Amino acid sequence: DIQMTQSPSTLSASVGDRVTITCRASQSVSSWLAWYQQKPGKAPKLLVYRASSLESGVPSRFSGSGSETEFTLTISSLQPDDFATYYCQQYNTYLYTFGQGTKLEIK
Amino acid sequence: QVQLQESGPGLVKPSQTLSLTCAVSGGSISSGAYYWNWVRQPAGKGLEWIGRFYTSGSSNYNPSLKSRVTISVDTSKNNFSLKLTSVTAADTAVYYCARGISGPLELWGRGTLVTVSS
């Protein structure tokens, strides 16, 4: 299995801050990497696919980058609606695996 | 627009079979080159992919669950199903159905909580 490790596990930030979440793969996943946002009691929502492609309807303050084994999700200017948990997911192999999640909290 | 909705028993006894259905509304489960997936999430924990069924008829499962899982599609009812046998307390989780084209899961159901307990 390809292991996905996110850092940090928890991130405290303020509205307007620029934040970056990192996701590392235990082996290369090329660009087959997605990012999701999940709020309490809700299903995950796809934000980014193929490492850097923004899903339709997702605000442009979200951006993804990286390839092979290291990826980042950046929120350029945090909005109140962005406080949630974020997960990365690799789909380089049919055995999809997720990172453990990064909880973005209000400072 | 297409929506997914999970349904099934919220309580299953240990050693029994967990059975869930995901109803697809607003579109045909047979149209498009979609994978139909199940993902679960224990309370307070991360996401675990269970498996997927492709409209061509092929399926893939997480090896950690493979011997206990079956995902099938019923085109006449426009839904797909999950069966997980010999459940234990470790299978207690919110179960989500989700649709994807190749890997990213772009459409999710709301999820349904299944508790394994006697």
Side-chain angles (χ1 to χ4, degrees), chain A residues 29-103:
Chain A
V29 298
S30 185
S31 293
W32 305 119
L33 191 285
W35 289 97
Y36 300 84
Q37 176 193 68
Q38 187 179 33
K39 296 182 179 178
K42 301 294 187 182
K45 173 188 174 183
L46 179 64
L47 299 175
V48 172
Y49 61 95
R50 211 180 303 146
S52 60
S53 296
L54 208 61
E55 176 71 348
S56 176
V58 174
S60 59
R61 63 181 179 273
F62 290 91
S63 63
S65 66
S67 65
E68 306 293 340
T69 61
E70 186 150 338
F71 303 86
T72 59
L73 175 71
T74 298
I75 309 172
S76 60
S77 178
L78 272 175
Q79 299 302 301
D81 191 49
D82 300 338
F83 292 95
T85 299
Y86 293 84
Y87 293 93
C88 62
Q89 176 222 350
Q90 69 79 21
Y91 51 98
N92 183 60
T93 67
Y94 80 84
L95 174 48
Y96 305 157
T97 48
F98 293 87
Q100 82 279 15
T102 294
K103 186 175 182 180

Side-chain angles (χ1 to χ4, degrees), chain B residues 9-99:
Chain B
L11 181 64
V12 181
K13 289 182 166 52
S15 80
Q16 294 191 340
T17 297
L18 179 160
S19 296
L20 296 175
T21 296
C22 181
V24 180
S25 59
S28 171
I29 199 169
S30 301
S31 65
Y34 292 113
Y35 288 93
W36 303 94
N37 298 258
W38 287 96
V39 177
R40 69 181 183 179
Q41 185 173 37
K45 297 189 177 181
L47 301 162
E48 180 181 33
W49 178 76
I50 298 170
R52 68 183 187 184
F53 190 96
Y54 189 49
T55 47
S56 68
S58 65
S59 58
N60 302 104
Y61 301 119
N62 189 322
S64 69
L65 300 168
K66 187 175 182 178
S67 63
R68 299 195 291 134
V69 174
T70 303
I71 296 174
S72 59
V73 171
D74 188 333
T75 54
S76 66
K77 295 182 179 178
N78 215 39
N79 65 33
F80 64 107
S81 299
L82 168 70
K83 289 191 188 302
L84 181 65
T85 63
S86 305
V87 297
T88 69
D91 295 310
T92 294
V94 174
Y95 286 75
Y96 295 99
C97 58
R99 186 185 78 175

